[in-house]
Amino acid sequence: MKRFSLWVMTLCVSAVGCQSIEQSAAKFSLVSVEDEIDIGKETNAQIRKELPELTDAETTAYISAIGERLVRAASGPKYPYTFSVANYREINAFALPGGPIWLHRGVIHAATNESQVAGVLAHEVAHIAERHAAGQLTKGILANLGLGLLGAFLGNSGGADAAQAAAGLLTNGMFLKFSRDDERDADRVGLQLLRRAGWDGRGMVELFEILQREAQSNPSSVEIFFSSHPAPQDRIEGLRADVERAHGGTRDTTRFQSIKARLLKMPAARTMPAE
Ligand SMILES: [Zn+2]
């Protein structure tokens, strides 16, 4: 974090202005892998206090096992990936910098086979493996927050405070939105991961089709998803050629169906509070 602060300072002194930094922000990262991991851990601790976590050991072990299999197929830095289930009915999932991934329980209810859930997780693993958070943090620090956060980073000498400051902003949703390019990239890389890890690539497209149907029949269940992701139709178009070649691999397991049945016997998932 200390090194990070110095970089920001050096850049702001040497560049013509912060505008030019903003324009080239997409091409470099001010945030190291270690910074990402620190910020992600801090953010996850804060999010855990606010989200209702599904604590059913069988379900979380199952989701983690799918996640770990995808992680083994991923390239990029060795992040400490973790997989948690939020007890929310809305169809959504999100990745924090450096490893933590959350899946909403609503995804398991909406999915009809295992490859669809694995497809959602593959997309999130891809965001982390491709270091999209580092890019967004860099852009956010330089463009959106400017001097305010810069001051916060420069004003303290320790990494923990800086990580905490960034985590506070992340928890408030300031950086959680990835760019459309990042989303396209996460779909493309996610599909590769899904196939490499042994699932049928069609699962990813099928989940988008479920989202489209839900948008018609049950709009509130997908509102949060659509506020942070491109339209499913665009994503299906983007993947169509790859998916044509993606047949083969696991589509479903008896374990998936038994987890689904198990969740149906539990108290209903909660509705996300309005912003
Ligand atoms: Zn995404």
Side-chain angles (χ1 to χ4, degrees):
M1 265 313 170
K2 201 164 189 177
R3 181 186 54 235
F4 163 71
S5 305
L6 289 172
W7 277 16
V8 175
M9 188 152 56
T10 310
L11 282 160
C12 265
V13 168
S14 62
V16 178
C18 278
Q19 191 61 32
S20 57
I21 298 175
E22 183 188 328
Q23 283 160 0
S24 52
K27 302 186 194 73
F28 70 94
S29 175
L30 297 171
V31 182
S32 71
V33 169
E34 292 75 21
D35 292 337
E36 275 184 281
I37 293 170
D38 284 349
I39 293 167
K41 274 190 183 146
E42 192 67 46
T43 309
N44 207 31
Q46 292 188 22
I47 279 183
R48 193 158 258 140
K49 286 183 205 152
E50 293 171 21
L51 278 190
E53 185 172 3
L54 184 78
T55 51
D56 179 55
E58 208 164 305
T59 304
T60 50
Y62 171 67
I63 293 302
S64 295
I66 294 177
E68 293 304 330
R69 208 168 124 188
L70 291 162
V71 166
R72 283 196 291 276
S75 50
K78 292 274 164 251
Y79 289 112
Y81 288 89
T82 59
F83 299 88
S84 311
V85 181
N87 195 15
Y88 280 142
R89 62 181 280 278
E90 290 79 11
I91 300 172
N92 199 29
F94 59 92
L96 300 176
I101 289 173
W102 285 81
L103 181 79
H104 283 203
R105 177 177 160 188
V107 174
I108 307 173
H109 286 294
T112 57
N113 67 50
E114 183 176 279
S115 69
Q116 297 164 3
V117 173
V120 172
L121 293 172
H123 174 95
E124 301 305 331
V125 169
H127 273 311
I128 293 173
E130 296 291 296
R131 306 201 64 216
H132 292 159
Q136 287 308 108
L137 282 162
T138 300
K139 275 192 251 179
I141 288 162
L142 297 176
N144 303 323
L145 298 150
L147 296 176
L149 185 67
L150 194 60
F153 274 86
L154 296 177
N156 70 69
S157 52
D161 289 348
Q164 206 153 17
L169 293 161
L170 274 174
T171 310
N172 292 325
M174 295 199 74
F175 292 127
L176 285 173
K177 199 168 168 14
F178 292 117
S179 70
R180 290 187 90 79
D181 282 348
D182 286 349
E183 293 302 339
R184 211 171 298 128
D185 196 40
D187 282 345
R188 185 183 56 80
V189 173
L191 179 62
Q192 290 169 4
L193 290 183
L194 187 63
R195 296 173 65 186
R196 219 180 290 148
W199 280 284
D200 191 317
R202 286 175 292 181
M204 195 175 255
V205 165
E206 286 168 7
L207 205 274
F208 297 150
E209 288 164 353
I210 289 170
L211 282 160
Q212 283 179 313
R213 285 199 295 275
E214 290 284 321
Q216 300 294 319
S217 63
N218 191 5
S220 70
S221 73
V222 292
E223 209 172 291
I224 177 74
F225 180 88
F226 286 116
S227 73
S228 57
H229 287 88
Q233 193 54 47
D234 295 349
R235 302 174 72 183
I236 293 171
E237 297 300 331
L239 289 177
R240 196 176 293 284
D242 284 346
V243 166
E244 291 304 321
R245 297 189 293 269
H247 294 203
T250 304
R251 276 183 69 68
D252 202 12
T253 60
T254 51
R255 182 131 187 245
F256 173 75
Q257 295 300 336
S258 78
I259 291 284
K260 246 181 98 101
R262 181 182 172 82
L263 288 175
L264 282 175
K265 284 182 215 135
M266 290 181 200
R270 295 207 220 159
T271 299
M272 270 183 87
E275 290 284 301

